[in-house]
Amino acid sequence: MNNKSFNFDIPRAKQVIPNGTNIGDDLVLINAFEDVPLVTEPRKVHCFFVAICLEGSAQYTVDTKEFKVGKNDVVVFNDGQVIGNYMFSRDCKGVAIMVSNDFFAEIVKEVHEMSQLFLIAYSHPVFSLKPEKVRTFMGYFNLIKQRVDDHDHHFRRELAMSLLKAMIYDIGNEIWQSQRTEPKRTRAEAIFNKFIMLVKDNYRKERRVSWYGEQLCITPKYLSETVKQVSHRTPNEWIDHYVTLEIRVLLKNTTMNIKEIAEELSFPNQSFLGKYFKEHVGMSPSKYRRS
């Protein structure tokens, strides 16, 4: 393993692991942890990342908090988290899947209660699986790899998406089961979870932090401090995350024009949506749709 720095995004992963299984800049499957260079400096994640430790152990930091990983542990990273200080034991083995934000948005747009998968990575990004569940996970991984490696398959991308969706449902179930047996959440974690649920249900019409504070019967300042403490993101960043994700999905997966999308998401007009999207994504809605 070398010491070359590794940014957690799809293009960089393809450079570091050129012979890995991938679908363009949408998906990369990593067959062995030992192929991934150590992260000694903090790096921001720019994808959805899920991995499972099959042997040995590892440790790392997420948003400056240290976590340890052992055999049969699943690790989940989300876009925007900051990771670093990786250390692998000599016998550490495992596999991982990296999914671009756009591809992930396509996959989960109809997956119910998907927020639980996001939340677990911010509060508890490591959870354990029973051996039979590990075999299920590896079954998904090997099947996805087999299909992605079949470059002659006309529906290769769509098939990979369907298999990933099934895997995410199974992971989501494990998260749900683990939540039932975990110690009682702190008040801060409870507020954060309720806030995310509110955002998930109301971001199309409500983007004011003060409104969310009112629904939770706390001040906007206290809400901001609590959400930042738990997730290292502000309430506005979370609201913007859900709004821009929805705009991306609508641009890529519907025939709605930009004016109709602006109306759907309660923007004053098409121009306002365009400025908002460019500020957060770095390009205009039209250019994003063509990309």
Side-chain angles (χ1 to χ4, degrees):
M1 210 184 294
N2 60 46
N3 289 318
K4 192 175 182 180
S5 62
F6 179 65
N7 291 321
F8 269 81
D9 58 44
I10 302 293
R12 182 60 177 156
K14 288 167 61 181
Q15 291 177 11
V16 175
I17 313 171
N19 297 320
T21 297
N22 67 78
I23 297 179
D25 288 341
D26 286 331
L27 173 71
V28 169
L29 277 74
I30 300 171
N31 301 309
F33 278 166
E34 54 265 32
D35 290 339
V36 182
L38 293 176
V39 180
T40 54
E41 297 296 328
R43 304 286 175 183
K44 183 171 282 191
V45 177
H46 295 292
C47 64
F48 174 78
F49 177 94
V50 58
I52 186 164
C53 179
L54 300 173
E55 297 290 344
S57 61
Q59 66 183 55
Y60 60 94
T61 60
V62 178
D63 296 329
T64 72
K65 186 176 180 180
E66 186 176 284
F67 292 91
K68 294 183 178 179
V69 178
K71 183 177 179 179
N72 296 341
D73 283 346
V74 172
V75 178
V76 178
F77 298 149
N78 281 305
D79 180 56
Q81 291 187 295
V82 177
I83 61 172
N85 300 322
Y86 257 75
M87 292 181 64
F88 295 133
S89 66
R90 290 182 179 274
D91 60 342
C92 185
K93 295 183 183 299
V95 298
I97 299 175
M98 297 176 68
V99 184
S100 73
N101 293 322
D102 289 346
F103 197 51
F104 188 65
E106 285 188 62
I107 293 169
V108 305
K109 67 178 186 291
E110 296 175 352
V111 179
H112 302 297
E113 300 181 21
M114 199 64 244
S115 294
Q116 291 301 319
L117 191 56
F118 288 112
L119 294 176
I120 195 70
Y122 282 90
S123 303
H124 309 283
V126 178
F127 61 96
S128 295
L129 293 180
K130 294 178 180 178
E132 61 269 23
K133 296 298 183 181
V134 173
R135 289 192 290 272
T136 299
F137 183 100
M138 289 305 300
Y140 280 122
F141 182 90
N142 292 327
L143 185 55
I144 293 169
K145 182 180 184 306
Q146 181 186 36
R147 295 309 187 204
V148 172
D149 282 337
D150 184 2
H151 291 266
D152 292 329
H153 199 299
H154 182 68
F155 298 104
R156 174 171 165 260
R157 185 178 186 274
E158 290 76 13
L159 189 54
M161 185 183 297
S162 297
L163 291 169
L164 277 166
K165 182 181 288 190
M167 185 191 76
I168 287 168
Y169 267 123
D170 262 350
I171 292 176
N173 178 64
E174 293 305 309
I175 291 171
W176 182 79
Q177 295 290 350
S178 69
Q179 293 286 304
R180 299 173 66 190
T181 58
E182 280 187 356
K184 188 176 180 180
R185 293 189 183 101
T186 65
R187 172 169 166 76
E189 288 176 334
I191 289 173
F192 173 63
N193 285 6
K194 289 178 182 178
F195 166 72
I196 289 295
M197 293 300 107
L198 276 172
V199 173
K200 178 177 175 289
D201 291 338
N202 296 281
Y203 68 86
R204 292 174 182 83
K205 294 188 179 299
E206 279 296 343
R207 292 188 272 277
R208 296 171 297 149
V209 175
S210 59
W211 184 87
Y212 289 97
E214 288 174 8
Q215 308 312 303
L216 295 170
C217 300
I218 56 178
T219 66
K221 181 180 179 182
Y222 184 67
L223 175 60
S224 296
E225 291 173 347
T226 303
V227 170
K228 186 71 181 289
Q229 173 193 333
V230 174
S231 70
H232 298 270
R233 283 186 177 186
T234 66
N236 278 322
E237 287 174 327
W238 275 108
I239 295 167
D240 290 338
H241 168 79
Y242 276 91
V243 174
T244 54
L245 197 62
E246 180 71 1
I247 297 173
R248 289 181 180 194
V249 169
L250 293 175
L251 287 170
K252 290 288 189 180
N253 297 282
T254 75
T255 58
M256 295 173 67
N257 61 42
I258 297 171
K259 181 181 178 182
E260 290 171 333
I261 293 174
E263 292 172 353
E264 175 74 14
L265 295 177
S266 304
F267 281 91
N269 52 56
Q270 176 179 332
S271 176
F272 197 94
L273 180 143
K275 291 177 181 177
Y276 175 92
F277 190 78
K278 188 170 184 178
E279 178 184 348
H280 291 91
V281 180
M283 66 178 75
S284 69
S286 298
K287 185 176 180 180
Y288 179 82
R289 175 167 264 170
R290 293 193 302 269
S291 65

